[in-house]
Amino acid sequence: MLEDVMEISRDNLLDEVSALKEDGFRLVTVTCEREGDGYELIYHFDRDYSMKNLKLLIGVNENVMSISHIYPPAFLIENEYQDLFGLTFDNLIIDYKGSL
């Protein structure tokens, strides 16, 4: 079971991620799974062995803003989820457009 999970909206994703970056958190990974009529994305962050998790629920046809301009390595997992789940991340720093 995840601890310290905060549910967020698409509208405040970038603000929350930016705040964690400013507080010295590193991006660990992003997990994705099918949830009802959409998807559940959980962004996992760590600072000094303390985890924070941001949970984002999105519909099947909803786009998500990329966090790759805040955490550049995120472009890999976001491209992977475009390939695996058919998600669309807007403003990826490198977008393989489904051919990663």
Side-chain angles (χ1 to χ4, degrees), residues 33-52:
E33 67 179 352
R34 187 77 174 179
E35 183 68 33
D37 292 333
Y39 297 94
E40 175 186 87
L41 291 164
I42 301 180
Y43 296 79
H44 307 273
F45 299 89
D46 165 79
R47 183 185 68 195
D48 300 326
Y49 303 105
S50 174
M51 298 291 293
K52 290 198 181 249

Side-chain angles (χ1 to χ4, degrees), residues 1-6 31 40-44 51-55:
M1 177 173 194
L2 287 177
E3 294 181 17
D4 202 356
V5 179
M6 180 171 69
T31 54
E40 175 186 87
L41 291 164
I42 301 180
Y43 296 79
H44 307 273
M51 298 291 293
K52 290 198 181 249
N53 304 282
L54 303 178
K55 179 176 160 180

Side-chain angles (χ1 to χ4, degrees), residues 7-82:
E7 191 164 331
I8 60 170
S9 70
R10 289 184 323 141
D11 293 337
N12 67 354
L13 170 65
L14 296 182
D15 290 338
E16 294 296 336
V17 170
S18 293
L20 289 171
K21 175 79 170 186
E22 289 174 20
D23 285 343
F25 281 83
R26 69 180 183 93
L27 175 67
V28 175
T29 194
V30 181
T31 54
C32 180
E33 67 179 352
R34 187 77 174 179
E35 183 68 33
D37 292 333
Y39 297 94
E40 175 186 87
L41 291 164
I42 301 180
Y43 296 79
H44 307 273
F45 299 89
D46 165 79
R47 183 185 68 195
D48 300 326
Y49 303 105
S50 174
M51 298 291 293
K52 290 198 181 249
N53 304 282
L54 303 178
K55 179 176 160 180
L56 175 63
L57 299 173
I58 60 166
V60 172
N61 297 316
E62 290 182 304
N63 293 5
V64 181
M65 290 301 293
S66 171
I67 66 166
S68 62
H69 66 283
I70 302 167
Y71 288 97
F75 88 93
L76 287 168
I77 194 73
E78 290 173 341
N79 272 285
E80 184 75 13
Y81 290 159
Q82 288 189 144

